[in-house]
Amino acid sequence: MTHRKRFSRKLVAIFVAGIMAVGAQPQEKGLLQTLDSISPPGIQYAYGTFKSTRVLNGHSIERMQEKQFDFRVEHRFGLVNQGFYEFYGLDQSNSLISLEYGIKNWVMVGINRTSLDKTVSGFTKFSILRQSTGTWIMPVSVSVLLETSVVGTKWLYPDRDNMFLSRVTYASQLLVARKFNEAFSLQLAPVWIHRNLVPTASDTNDMLALGIGSRYKTTRRTSVNFEYYPVLTSWWDHQTSYRNSLSLGFDVETGGHVFTILLTNTTGMIEKSFITETTGKWLKGDLHLGFNISRVFSFK
């Protein structure tokens, strides 16, 4: 076979792969993955460790690709155990609206606002390592999250100066995940949270926790997710009965949307809230129904 014929066949293969990728649904196997299958052996990266940038409440190692924009809406309703009078919690709601953008394939930025404490947060998340096989073997993917949040409620401490920095909380998180096979992914996420102002002198400004998240893919477009955030630092005020955040959820992808319905013991949707301020007890039915909606737009 001549070099010209071999070159022509490669062009045809690449063209067919491109047509297949364009016709595929968003967030499914993309052009680069399709090309990997017909290219010489090299580095094969793991794709789709999680369906979106969140596991449930907390972040996943996923981030927006370059020039992709994610518009997110999240809701957490009231307590299910309030009964029919409160329509099992659906009469109350806390909401979050988030705008997230991929600057490069390895770094994204975001800003959100949640009705809980009228908090505004800004964050950046960037990838350090990507799970891969082939000529470069890397067993895990690693991302870093840096977040700053500002509470916007009326000042509740008349004996203290209402300084801007008193309203600020910082969160730093290392996200380490592995996609074991096409169905199962697991993530460990140690996080440090610093609150500039705490309610009492006995409280601690710094909190450490270890996030545990997993995803089990049930069909091509659905998965079951689990998330648990045990706090490692001793609780600062035992009378407040703070609890570890525990959530179960179900992901459904519908075209360009990812819809998540979940059951959780927290109303918080940012790290400051759901890690350090959760009070609900699963065994007592202190649960909240919630959902996340993610819609991705591409500006490429």
Side-chain angles (χ1 to χ4, degrees):
M1 183 182 295
T2 64
H3 291 290
R4 180 175 297 179
K5 288 183 178 180
R6 285 197 295 268
F7 179 74
S8 299
R9 290 190 177 184
K10 288 183 178 179
L11 284 180
V12 170
I14 293 174
F15 177 77
V16 171
I19 295 297
M20 292 171 62
V22 170
Q25 292 291 343
Q27 301 188 26
E28 291 296 320
K29 187 175 181 181
L31 174 60
L32 292 177
Q33 294 170 271
T34 307
L35 290 176
D36 284 344
S37 64
I38 63 172
S39 300
I43 301 177
Q44 289 82 45
Y45 291 109
Y47 293 88
T49 305
F50 290 91
K51 181 61 72 174
S52 74
T53 58
R54 304 296 194 280
V55 178
L56 289 170
N57 292 313
H59 279 261
S60 72
I61 55 107
E62 305 293 347
R63 70 252 168 265
M64 288 294 97
Q65 297 295 307
E66 182 178 358
K67 295 184 179 180
Q68 280 190 346
F69 174 79
D70 186 13
F71 175 67
R72 300 183 62 87
V73 177
E74 301 183 5
H75 279 279
R76 302 294 181 266
F77 296 101
L79 288 169
V80 174
N81 61 10
Q82 291 180 111
F84 182 77
Y85 182 75
E86 297 293 342
F87 204 45
Y88 302 98
L90 297 182
D91 285 348
Q92 301 127 19
S93 174
N94 287 301
S95 61
L96 175 142
I97 296 177
S98 183
L99 307 176
E100 305 173 7
Y101 183 73
I103 299 176
K104 294 292 184 181
N105 286 338
W106 57 274
V107 61
M108 66 176 283
V109 294
I111 186 169
N112 58 58
R113 201 269 189 183
T114 175
S115 60
L116 185 64
D117 293 332
K118 303 184 184 300
T119 304
V120 176
S121 300
F123 68 87
T124 182
K125 182 164 60 175
F126 51 92
S127 297
I128 298 178
L129 299 171
R130 291 184 63 187
Q131 181 181 339
S132 63
T133 58
T135 56
W136 176 261
I137 299 176
M138 178 55 60
V140 295
S141 295
V142 180
S143 295
V144 172
L145 172 72
L146 302 175
E147 180 182 73
T148 301
S149 59
V150 181
V151 172
T153 51
K154 293 181 178 180
W155 190 243
L156 300 178
Y157 307 98
D159 58 330
R160 305 183 192 182
D161 293 334
N162 183 8
M163 296 187 298
F164 174 78
L165 288 179
S166 299
R167 298 174 173 270
V168 177
T169 297
Y170 306 98
S172 301
Q173 188 168 28
L174 185 68
L175 305 153
V176 182
R178 176 173 174 81
K179 185 176 182 180
F180 288 88
N181 50 51
E182 286 301 313
F184 181 69
S185 301
L186 179 67
Q187 175 177 281
L188 298 179
V191 56
W192 165 73
I193 295 176
H194 175 83
R195 301 175 298 165
N196 281 346
L197 180 67
V198 291
T200 69
S202 62
D203 295 341
T204 179
N205 296 85
D206 297 288
M207 301 293 294
L208 294 174
L210 176 64
I212 304 169
S214 66
R215 174 184 184 233
Y216 185 81
K217 195 173 180 181
T218 51
T219 69
R220 191 166 67 94
R221 297 186 181 278
T222 62
S223 65
V224 176
N225 291 7
F226 166 84
E227 184 182 80
Y228 182 52
Y229 269 84
V231 173
L232 305 181
T233 308
S234 298
W235 290 111
W236 54 99
D237 185 350
H238 295 284
Q239 295 181 353
T240 55
S241 300
Y242 286 108
R243 304 292 171 182
N244 295 323
S245 173
L246 174 62
S247 308
L248 296 175
F250 183 71
D251 274 351
V252 181
E253 184 203 353
T254 57
H257 296 78
V258 177
F259 178 78
T260 304
I261 185 169
L262 61 117
L263 200 60
T264 179
N265 63 337
T266 181
T267 56
M269 290 164 278
I270 62 172
E271 280 63 25
K272 161 195 172 293
S273 301
F274 72 83
I275 294 177
T276 68
E277 299 171 1
T278 295
T279 58
K281 299 180 181 180
W282 267 77
L283 295 180
K284 287 192 175 182
D286 298 334
L287 302 177
H288 305 266
L289 186 67
F291 66 82
N292 303 339
I293 299 177
S294 169
R295 180 63 171 98
V296 176
F297 301 88
S298 179
F299 293 100
K300 289 189 177 181

